[in-house]
Amino acid sequence: MGKIKVENIKIYAHHGCLREEEIVGSQYLVDVTVNANLQEASNSDDLSDTVDYVHINHIVKEEMKLPSRLLEHVGKRIIDRIFKEISIVGKAEVSVSKINPPIGGDVEKVTVILKEKRNV
């Protein structure tokens, strides 16, 4: 087994429960960690034997474009797509952070972290 991390994917998106958040949008950071059997790729040196992090970045960008009220919802969509589209992934962890959330205080960011195992 091995891990592949794609960290600090910066995206401007329109998520939130407030109407203003849907209209104005805000900055987000997304981190993805996947566990997969990387033994074959380590021997073959072939991209088709591993998890293509370009594919992960593409999934994150597409799912972040679709507005959600909750960060939990967009995080779950990202995990579901990873399992659907990348067959060697056995576990996935996604964190979605909203930078400068409108919560009436001096808060750098709020983060939701989801972890799931592939259903066999």
Side-chain angles (χ1 to χ4, degrees), residues 3-81:
K3 288 185 182 186
I4 293 179
K5 295 181 178 186
V6 184
E7 298 179 298
N8 289 322
I9 303 168
K10 296 177 177 99
I11 298 176
Y12 196 86
H14 300 266
H15 303 298
C17 293
L18 302 175
R19 181 75 179 132
E20 180 179 290
E21 292 176 295
E22 291 178 24
I23 296 168
V24 176
S26 59
Q27 191 70 34
Y28 293 83
L29 291 175
V30 179
D31 295 327
V32 177
T33 301
V34 296
N35 292 48
N37 184 342
L38 304 177
Q39 185 66 43
E40 190 170 342
S42 67
N43 291 320
S44 72
D45 197 27
D46 189 333
L47 180 61
S48 66
D49 293 330
T50 191
V51 177
D52 184 352
Y53 45 81
V54 172
H55 191 171
I56 290 175
N57 189 53
H58 175 74
I59 289 170
V60 169
K61 285 181 173 181
E62 283 193 342
E63 292 303 324
M64 289 296 289
K65 283 181 188 176
L66 304 173
S68 294
R69 287 181 288 152
L70 300 178
L71 299 180
E72 293 88 340
H73 185 70
V74 71
K76 174 71 166 119
R77 288 197 325 254
I78 292 168
I79 287 176
D80 289 348
R81 288 252 332 251

